[in-house]
Amino acid sequence: MSTAPRFHTMLSLEQAVGAAPSLAALQERIRASQQCMEQVQHLIPISLRRHVKAGPIQDTEWCLLVGSAAASTKLRQLLPSLQQTLTQNGAQVNSIRIKVQIPGQ
């Protein structure tokens, strides 16, 4: 066994992402999802905004996460305007999926 001391190098997030292509791809997907949310947030009523979170983008489908079935129902009514705004702003999103996430599960 070697008794040489081990040194752990601390990497910044940017360095770690640059060293791992899969992390870079994940970071880009997160950034794209956040940009989509910024583009449509003004269309979501203020009382509903706290129940809606940007979820993952997979291929050309964006997922919105909501905290209840009631919020999901209200948000579904807004899908055409959300999609139209994303398309007008050049987002590469062809469909929006809504997923209910129940806290604690």
Side-chain angles (χ1 to χ4, degrees):
M1 291 190 73
S2 172
T3 58
R6 292 185 182 182
F7 295 98
H8 296 283
T9 304
M10 297 295 288
L11 298 175
S12 69
L13 177 59
E14 291 80 20
Q15 290 169 325
V17 167
S22 60
L23 286 178
L26 177 61
Q27 185 180 34
E28 181 53 38
R29 288 175 53 200
I30 292 169
R31 185 178 302 121
S33 180
Q34 290 170 342
Q35 288 173 343
C36 287
M37 182 57 89
E38 289 170 6
Q39 292 173 9
V40 301
Q41 190 167 1
H42 70 280
L43 299 171
I44 301 171
I46 293 172
S47 60
L48 186 58
R49 286 182 197 168
R50 65 186 175 102
H51 300 285
V52 180
K53 292 184 176 37
I57 292 181
Q58 187 165 6
D59 297 322
T60 59
E61 181 182 65
W62 182 37
C63 182
L64 290 173
L65 307 172
V66 295
S68 70
S72 172
T73 300
K74 291 178 185 179
L75 192 59
R76 282 188 202 291
Q77 296 172 355
L78 301 173
L79 286 181
S81 58
L82 299 178
Q83 182 66 57
Q84 180 180 10
T85 298
L86 291 172
T87 301
Q88 289 173 344
N89 289 328
Q92 299 298 313
V93 173
N94 294 334
S95 64
I96 302 171
R97 181 171 53 105
I98 299 172
K99 183 175 181 183
V100 177
Q101 282 197 320
I102 299 181
Q105 289 188 355

